[in-house]
Amino acid sequence: MSLILIIEQILNGLQFGVMLFLMAAGLTLVFGVMGLINLAHGSLYMVGAFAAAAVAGATGSFVLALIASLAAAAAAGAIVELVVIRRLYARDHLDQVLATFALILIFSEGTRWLFGSFPLFLEVPRYLSGPVTLPGGIQYPLYRLAMIVIGLLIAAGLFWLIARTRIGIQIRAGECDREMIAALGVDISKLYTLVFALGAALAGLAGALVGAIQSVQVGMGEPVLILAFVVIVIGGIGSIKGALVGALLVGLTDTLGGVFLPRFFELFLAPASATSVGASLASMLIYILMAAVLLVRPLGLYGGRT
Amino acid sequence: MKPIRTLALATSVMALATAALADTKIGMITTLSGGGAGLGVDVRDGFMLAIDNAERDDIEVVIEDDQRKPDVAVQTSDRMIQSEKVDIMTGIIWSNLAMAVIPSAVAQGVFYLSPNAGPSALAGERCHENYFNVAWQNDNLHEAAGAYANDAGFENTFILAPNYPAGQDALTGFKRMYEGELADEIYTKLGQTDYAAELAQIRASGADSVFFFLPGGMGISFLKQYADSGVDLPVVGPAFSFDQGILQAVGEAALGVKNTSQWSKDLDNAANVAFVEAFQEEYGRLPSLYASQGYDTANLILSALEKADVSDKDAFRAALREADFDSVRGDFRFGNNHHPIQDIYVREVIKEGDVYTNKIVATGLEDHADAYASECKM
């Protein structure tokens, strides 16, 4: 196990974590500000990927495809908020889970109806394809580096938005006491729509970025959604900082665990059983991490509210 | 609630009425919604093409979606057997669903013809006289890939598959035939879509080639990332990641990859030429491996119905066993465990105009039977 391989795997974990952050950021804002469990967040990720694939297929431009993914997911998010989600804020979590689960089914079958049953094609643009050589002789795909950079830029932008702008103040205030800021004259329902659309847009962008190196198909959002929930539970609900730290922790744990656990078991088990035991344990690792974090900090790493 | 119940009653009465008209009732349970729907749609379309071509008005096909969920598949099959009284069942794509449905269906006296899933458990000791597999036993295409790896002179192959029964069958099948060294053997998570970590391991392993079994979306992701990673080793795999439905989504990354299949659209026999042409005309797309399996399954049923009535179970079973139909894959017969004995080919991904497709470059295994046949007492 060379140092180069270890560094490469850390980069992989970082990249995975950054993409998880884009998903988790929207989820944690919606959960934190509106108190809403949105299972359909994964569908917005899928909407972004399909919009990107459709636009890239029609125009051949990856930049346009990314813009389309942001726009389509934000629009889908805003419509869903206005039509469905708005009626759920006062309901309990079970109703929200049921309604948003119904949205998953509607989105999935609607997408299948529009685009057909077969996966769509979306590829990495020429100028980002292929590997680059990093200092130390590490070969790493340029596209994945670009994903890390884009993700970190968006994280920085979100921090700025939440901490330094008027909207950010309103979002934070809404999180603390929604009646009070409504009484102060802030249009709370418009704010909610905005936050929901923002979260949706980020999920859509993640879908498009990931779709270029994975498969764009119906149901692609649900596995990521589960991980995103793990991230916000670890990070603390409602905290953007928690979402970033949680996402990176989950990304690194998942990637490095999958690589090194089988190696570790090989030290004292036969290779065949080491592989399967290691692989099984690696897939449990993030949930073990979540349980450990919750034992020490029941509200998550940065969850301040009770 | 009341009108719905009345409506349901009305539909079931109507269903009973049509059941009285048709002599043979076929129940198809397959995946028609969600992520795996492409495979089920292909099986259904291939199957219905053959049924429609036969122009028989004494056959009724009931088609239901299993949503790729074992519990849904079991409920649907119970309903088909008990209240709709189907004679023959078919359609299931996934091995875990097959294991949930087939043993109880055949035990209730229904014939089951699998157009895809061929779990090893049903090929050996638990084989059944009413269960026929028209596609392959799960290990078969992987065995052919192992044989091809020997022919191609691979000596140090890196192999990977998802950590679930069909994935373990795959690596077992490959290793059964492959004679070289293994650079490493990895089980990935089922449904995993990011293979950056595995690609880094492949790069570091010093392997001279890669074998992978990653069906559906997993394969698309792997191939795209493989092409982008700068790893430049020859790749071989079973046809499941290179079928007509997903090749367009993989694109250029798949060009030149060798894959093993019992069928290819360029197989030169009269039945296949007619099938490919009719399928394209009917559905406006090229048929896949799955469509060919659906088509063969329907033709097998039709050939048996020519000889025997389905109500005479022994005669119908004997007629099925003869497999007296023109398979689109060429020669086809059943072994003692009702699984195919057939040639398995090596195909290469090529581009025809704007469409990515496969062409046959070699025969991987001739007249190949599965490894479990001897355990079947039949």
Side-chain angles (χ1 to χ4, degrees):
Chain A
M1 182 115 327
S2 66
L3 186 65
I4 287 184
L5 184 60
I6 294 173
I7 295 175
E8 197 178 338
Q9 300 295 23
I10 290 174
L11 280 174
N12 287 334
L14 210 58
Q15 179 257 312
F16 183 38
V18 161
M19 284 303 113
L20 275 181
F21 168 71
L22 289 186
M23 271 296 273
L27 204 60
T28 201
L29 275 182
V30 168
F31 203 148
V33 177
M34 311 169 194
L36 176 95
I37 297 179
N38 178 23
L39 291 186
H41 205 63
S43 299
L44 298 162
Y45 174 88
M46 177 183 76
V47 166
F50 272 84
V55 169
T59 66
S61 160
F62 191 67
V63 176
L64 282 182
L66 289 186
I67 294 170
S69 72
L70 281 167
I79 293 170
V80 162
E81 203 274 343
L82 289 173
V83 177
V84 183
I85 305 284
R86 179 155 290 193
R87 296 162 216 288
L88 297 172
Y89 295 134
R91 304 290 196 95
D92 66 18
H93 283 329
L94 185 62
D95 289 356
Q96 299 172 351
V97 166
L98 277 175
T100 53
F101 186 72
L103 282 175
I104 293 184
L105 299 179
I106 293 169
F107 268 109
S108 291
E109 292 316 300
T111 312
R112 223 168 60 76
W113 181 66
L114 271 178
F115 291 93
S117 306
F118 300 98
L120 291 195
F121 176 70
L122 176 64
E123 73 175 336
V124 172
R126 289 267 171 244
Y127 48 87
L128 287 177
S129 68
V132 286
T133 308
L134 300 178
I138 302 167
Q139 288 228 314
Y140 199 72
L142 180 60
Y143 185 75
R144 287 184 188 270
L145 279 184
M147 283 165 91
I148 297 178
V149 173
I150 293 174
L152 291 179
L153 283 178
I154 287 174
L158 265 184
F159 280 116
W160 174 78
L161 181 82
I162 300 286
R164 294 270 183 274
T165 63
R166 190 152 196 88
I167 299 266
I169 293 171
Q170 291 176 355
I171 291 175
R172 279 181 290 147
E175 211 171 320
C176 289
D177 193 332
R178 73 173 89 166
E179 282 83 15
M180 184 56 87
I181 78 156
L184 288 174
V186 174
D187 185 346
I188 193 89
S189 62
K190 201 183 278 171
L191 179 71
Y192 279 9
T193 312
L194 190 75
V195 170
F196 200 87
L198 174 70
L202 291 178
L205 179 69
L209 285 171
V210 168
I213 52 169
Q214 297 182 3
S215 67
V216 178
Q217 62 179 359
V218 172
M220 62 187 282
E222 275 67 63
V224 196
L225 178 78
I226 295 170
L227 290 178
F229 269 113
V230 173
V231 164
I232 68 171
V233 169
I234 289 179
I237 288 156
S239 162
I240 290 284
K241 197 203 242 171
L244 181 62
V245 173
L248 293 180
L249 263 180
V250 168
L252 286 168
T253 310
D254 193 53
T255 308
L256 297 179
V259 177
F260 294 113
L261 270 181
R263 293 278 169 280
F264 172 70
F265 281 104
E266 260 170 33
L267 295 178
F268 47 87
L269 281 176
S273 50
T275 316
S276 67
V277 172
S280 313
L281 194 62
S283 50
M284 286 188 264
L285 209 56
I286 52 169
Y287 304 102
I288 297 173
L289 172 76
M290 178 170 79
V293 167
L294 289 183
L295 266 182
V296 183
R297 298 188 66 105
L299 292 174
L301 294 174
Y302 295 93
R305 284 193 311 149
T306 46
Chain B
M1 205 62 197
K2 199 137 195 198
I4 295 178
R5 202 174 290 165
T6 326
L7 202 65
L9 196 69
T11 358
S12 43
V13 169
M14 262 153 44
L16 280 175
T18 40
L21 286 177
D23 294 334
T24 307
K25 197 161 183 182
I26 304 174
M28 171 180 278
I29 303 176
T30 194
T31 307
L32 299 172
S33 62
L39 288 71
V41 168
D42 269 358
V43 163
R44 179 196 65 191
D45 289 355
F47 190 89
M48 291 314 291
L49 181 66
I51 296 286
D52 291 345
N53 282 352
E55 291 182 346
R56 290 178 64 142
D57 52 10
D58 58 345
I59 300 177
E60 190 198 348
V61 184
V62 189
I63 302 174
E64 293 279 352
D65 177 20
D66 61 30
Q67 301 164 34
R68 202 176 173 171
K69 292 180 184 143
D71 50 328
V72 176
V74 168
Q75 278 171 21
T76 315
S77 92
D78 285 346
R79 199 184 68 231
M80 279 188 174
I81 296 169
Q82 284 154 19
S83 59
E84 303 207 24
K85 310 276 183 218
V86 296
D87 307 295
I88 304 169
M89 287 179 64
T90 183
I92 292 178
I93 302 292
W94 315 96
S95 289
N96 53 337
L97 274 67
M99 289 303 296
V101 167
I102 294 173
S104 85
V106 290
Q108 293 176 66
V110 172
F111 286 98
Y112 190 94
L113 280 75
S114 176
N116 198 62
S120 50
L122 298 181
E125 272 176 33
R126 292 174 64 192
C127 62
H128 193 281
E129 56 176 7
N130 286 347
Y131 168 61
F132 290 79
N133 187 306
V134 197
W136 21 253
Q137 196 280 315
N138 277 353
D139 301 11
N140 289 163
L141 302 194
H142 313 295
E143 289 163 350
Y148 170 77
N150 297 334
D151 293 344
F154 296 164
E155 283 168 354
N156 195 20
T157 301
F158 192 105
I159 63 176
L160 70 158
N163 196 12
Y164 79 122
Q168 287 142 14
D169 278 358
L171 296 193
T172 312
F174 182 83
K175 287 188 286 187
R176 189 174 290 134
M177 292 291 167
Y178 175 63
E179 288 157 1
E181 299 276 313
L182 290 179
D184 205 346
E185 178 179 349
I186 285 189
Y187 285 112
T188 61
K189 267 172 278 193
L190 187 61
Q192 181 173 334
T193 47
D194 198 301
Y195 294 93
E198 287 76 12
L199 288 168
Q201 283 174 277
I202 291 175
R203 199 199 322 266
S205 70
D208 68 355
S209 52
V210 177
F211 164 81
F212 75 95
F213 163 63
L214 296 166
M218 293 183 273
I220 301 177
S221 303
F222 179 80
L223 279 168
K224 281 162 100 174
Q225 293 164 30
Y226 189 83
D228 203 36
S229 69
V231 180
D232 197 19
L233 304 172
V235 177
V236 62
F240 312 120
S241 303
F242 305 91
D243 77 75
Q244 206 58 48
I246 66 175
L247 270 183
Q248 316 317 316
V250 181
E252 214 180 299
L255 270 186
V257 175
K258 304 286 193 296
N259 63 94
T260 49
S261 173
Q262 84 288 4
W263 176 85
S264 180
K265 88 173 187 354
D266 60 337
L267 270 176
D268 194 15
N269 63 60
N272 194 39
V273 172
F275 163 63
V276 173
E277 197 185 303
F279 191 93
Q280 265 185 293
E281 193 175 313
E282 180 73 28
Y283 303 108
R285 63 176 198 271
L286 284 172
S288 70
L289 159 88
Y290 308 109
S292 83
Q293 292 162 187
Y295 187 79
D296 270 358
T297 306
N299 278 325
L300 171 65
I301 294 174
L302 291 167
S303 76
L305 284 176
E306 290 291 327
K307 294 181 180 175
D309 196 274
V310 73
S311 55
D312 183 355
K313 288 199 188 314
D314 290 329
F316 187 72
R317 187 180 307 118
L320 281 175
R321 202 179 285 141
E322 281 174 36
D324 186 15
F325 71 106
D326 291 327
S327 168
V328 293
R329 68 196 97 169
D331 291 340
F332 176 96
R333 63 195 158 93
F334 282 119
N336 66 315
N337 59 348
H338 295 174
H339 280 62
I341 297 177
Q342 59 189 345
D343 293 347
I344 298 172
Y345 303 97
V346 180
R347 313 187 298 184
E348 182 179 329
V349 180
I350 55 161
K351 196 172 183 182
E352 280 181 357
D354 284 339
V355 181
Y356 294 92
T357 186
N358 287 287
K359 76 161 199 269
I360 291 181
V361 292
T363 305
L365 291 169
E366 276 183 37
D367 262 355
H368 185 61
D370 63 273
Y372 306 95
S374 59
E375 293 166 28
C376 169
K377 304 277 177 287
M378 199 157 65

